[in-house]
Amino acid sequence: MDIRPIIKGVIAKNCNPEGCRESVQSQIHQLQQLPAISTGPKKVLVIGASSGLGLATRISLAFGGRADTIGISYERPPSGEKSGTAGWFNNLAFTEAAEKEGLIAKNFVGDAYSEPMQQQVVDYIRSEFGGSIDCIVYSLAAGVRPRPDGSGFWKSSLKPVGEPFAGNIINIEKDQMQSVSMPPASPEEVQETVKVMGGENWEEWIRCLDSNNLLARGVKTIAFSYIGSDVTYPIYFGGTMGQAKLHLHDTSDRLNKFLSKHQGEAHIGVSTALVSKASVFIPGFSCYMMALSKVLKQKGEHETCVAHMHRMMKDFLFNPEGVKTDENRLIRADDRELNPEVQAEIFRLIDKVTAENFRSDQYADYSGFIEEFMGLSGFTAKDRVFPETIASQEPALK
Ligand code: NAI
Ligand code: NA
């Protein structure tokens, strides 16, 4: 089927179902070339399972460690003219492949913040999933969370705190680099971001599973964070998202104590920067990711998302010698990105990238960035077509 991508700014409006399926199959294939996760969990719940880090973790644990998995996601099936979301097709492709391997792969599609969702998952674990789980992966990335009293939504923001921030984004629709400035967040925006992306919902899930006696002895839970470098600090870790992540980190310490009665553990997996639906919005982030990818590819240290999450699971969370963390109890799978040599090279390159030269791949991995972005929706870079008016335009000046 010939489906053309519809892109508005940095948002892909449709997807290619067959491409999504191939992308999941290719991630599974990559995983199968990696060493098995011999001490991995067998009964896993992934909250936020249909794309990005959650999907890559689900693939790692299922195909690397033969785990049965339950995945929760918020996705749309195709209807009428609408193609449905990429995550919908990712779920289908994952399930088909896992079932072929004799693994259970159950999907729940709906709102992970809601109590009815918790209840459905509890009932399923009790009646059909063997009555207990030994790993909970919390990988939700959401823009909004319904207020439990029904009075609308909390909204998350990606803004600096204290001072405004200016940086470039790559407008993928127009193939232009554009400068964007962001005012600092209001105190309410900070609070709401913490409500949506902090640890509250993670903790609710763990407490709900515990009170229903569904947690196995030695259960582990992990949620993902990003800390980043000086380049990304003002807009990320020093901004609204950083406040949410600090709340998530505090939650992991609280949950770690709470789980000790099951000899369980709660951890934060600090991941490297990856192209995602959300990260392309963040001023300065696309150029940073392009420079990072250029440097890591040159060093032979570049990882795909699935290879990255496989390493996080195998070498860190399920390391046979015990969970590997830093002095702050954080899993640092971002070690390659934060290597001072890599950061120095990123600084040097980023300075040279301009609105005129950014497509050249000379200083930053633009091709890789576009391929990754298009791949999120089951497309390739070649599927991108520009109307003549855009192709012939002079690139926008900064
Ligand atoms: P993603 O957008 O690829 O995946 C988000 C998942 O959450 C999807 O499965 C989606 O269906 C699900 N979801 C969203 N709202 C939901 C709801 N209300 N109910 C149920 N499911 C819902 O995002 P990504 O990038 O994998 O992010 C996951 C986590 O990893 C986030 O906490 C993010 O901050 C963190 N992270 C991401 C990094 C990156 O570079 N992409 C780096 C480090 C951490
Ligand atoms: Na995810």
Side-chain angles (χ1 to χ4, degrees):
M1 203 177 353
D2 184 26
I3 300 173
R4 284 197 170 188
I6 305 165
I7 295 164
K8 296 279 174 241
V10 292
I11 305 171
K13 293 283 192 186
N14 64 341
C15 74
N16 182 336
E18 192 46 40
C20 291
R21 186 189 151 92
E22 281 165 15
S23 153
V24 172
Q25 286 171 343
S26 138
Q27 290 177 64
I28 292 171
H29 182 75
Q30 283 172 45
L31 195 282
Q32 286 167 334
Q33 315 306 307
L34 298 171
I37 304 171
S38 53
T39 50
K42 296 295 173 219
K43 292 284 180 181
V44 179
L45 170 62
V46 183
I47 304 169
S50 59
S51 60
L53 277 53
L55 174 61
T57 307
R58 191 181 193 186
I59 289 174
S60 299
L61 296 176
F63 293 91
R66 293 207 55 77
D68 291 329
T69 58
I70 300 171
I72 305 175
S73 59
Y74 195 87
E75 303 294 346
R76 250 194 348 263
S79 81
E81 296 279 274
K82 297 222 165 124
S83 71
T85 54
W88 176 266
F89 297 103
N90 292 345
N91 283 340
L92 294 182
F94 174 85
T95 303
E96 187 187 76
E99 287 179 348
K100 247 188 220 158
E101 291 286 315
L103 300 169
I104 299 173
K106 172 74 179 174
N107 296 305
F108 288 92
V109 176
D111 184 12
Y113 293 110
S114 75
E115 266 179 45
M117 177 58 87
Q118 285 181 1
Q119 198 51 55
Q120 280 183 59
V121 173
V122 162
D123 292 344
Y124 176 79
I125 296 171
R126 192 174 280 142
S127 59
E128 291 177 62
F129 203 64
S132 78
I133 49 178
D134 55 1
C135 179
I136 301 100
V137 176
Y138 189 82
S139 185
L140 225 57
V144 296
R145 171 180 174 187
R147 293 174 193 256
D149 65 3
S151 69
F153 296 86
W154 289 301
K155 269 185 70 183
S156 77
S157 318
L158 265 165
K159 289 188 177 176
V161 171
E163 283 177 45
F165 182 77
N168 296 318
I169 61 154
I170 307 289
N171 179 320
I172 297 164
E173 174 189 4
K174 302 210 164 117
D175 208 26
Q176 287 173 356
M177 183 182 279
Q178 298 173 339
S179 75
V180 179
S181 65
M182 283 273 190
S186 67
E188 293 71 35
E189 287 175 315
V190 175
Q191 281 164 17
E192 293 200 16
T193 306
V194 172
K195 277 285 179 192
V196 182
M197 289 299 287
E200 201 171 82
N201 181 243
W202 182 23
E203 183 159 354
E204 285 171 8
W205 271 100
I206 300 301
R207 288 184 182 274
C208 165
L209 294 165
D210 171 69
S211 66
N212 285 283
N213 294 317
L214 299 175
L215 297 179
R217 198 158 191 76
V219 62
K220 283 182 181 161
T221 185
I222 189 167
F224 301 125
S225 185
Y226 181 71
I227 294 178
S229 76
D230 292 347
V231 180
T232 56
Y233 183 84
I235 190 67
Y236 198 92
F237 208 67
T240 49
M241 280 302 292
Q243 292 297 305
K245 291 305 183 192
L246 287 171
H247 186 273
L248 196 71
H249 299 186
D250 286 348
T251 305
S252 93
D253 290 335
R254 220 171 18 255
L255 288 177
N256 197 51
K257 292 199 184 88
F258 178 72
L259 290 177
S260 64
K261 61 179 173 179
H262 302 290
Q263 294 183 328
E265 293 176 53
H267 290 279
I268 293 293
V270 186
S271 162
T272 194
L274 293 157
V275 178
S276 72
K277 283 174 283 177
S279 58
V280 292
F281 269 96
I282 313 176
F285 225 78
S286 296
C287 280
Y288 175 80
M289 288 188 292
M290 283 160 47
L292 171 67
S293 159
K294 174 97 184 170
V295 178
L296 291 183
K297 280 182 182 173
Q298 267 167 357
K299 284 176 74 81
E301 290 186 358
H302 177 78
E303 289 174 309
T304 59
C305 188
V306 77
H308 184 64
M309 299 322 284
H310 170 268
R311 185 165 66 92
M312 193 184 292
M313 294 301 123
K314 183 175 168 295
D315 297 352
F316 291 88
L317 188 62
F318 296 104
N319 187 318
E321 284 157 27
V323 184
K324 219 167 112 189
T325 66
D326 70 3
E327 65 282 9
N328 298 313
R329 230 180 54 77
L330 300 170
I331 288 174
R332 300 307 298 262
D334 60 346
D335 47 355
R336 297 180 180 182
E337 171 178 344
L338 294 192
N339 172 353
E341 253 175 55
V342 170
Q343 285 296 319
E345 187 60 6
I346 292 175
F347 261 96
R348 197 181 69 79
L349 292 175
I350 256 185
D351 255 5
K352 300 189 191 267
V353 180
T354 68
E356 290 72 40
N357 71 17
F358 77 94
R359 299 178 202 82
S360 74
D361 285 348
Q362 194 181 354
Y363 305 116
D365 184 19
Y366 165 79
S367 306
F369 171 79
I370 296 294
E371 201 64 56
E372 295 277 337
F373 177 83
M374 298 302 290
L376 296 173
S377 309
F379 294 110
T380 67
K382 281 194 236 85
D383 294 327
R384 216 164 47 132
V385 270
F386 302 106
E388 240 162 77
T389 48
I390 291 172
S392 63
Q393 250 172 33
E394 286 299 306
L397 292 174
K398 278 220 285 194

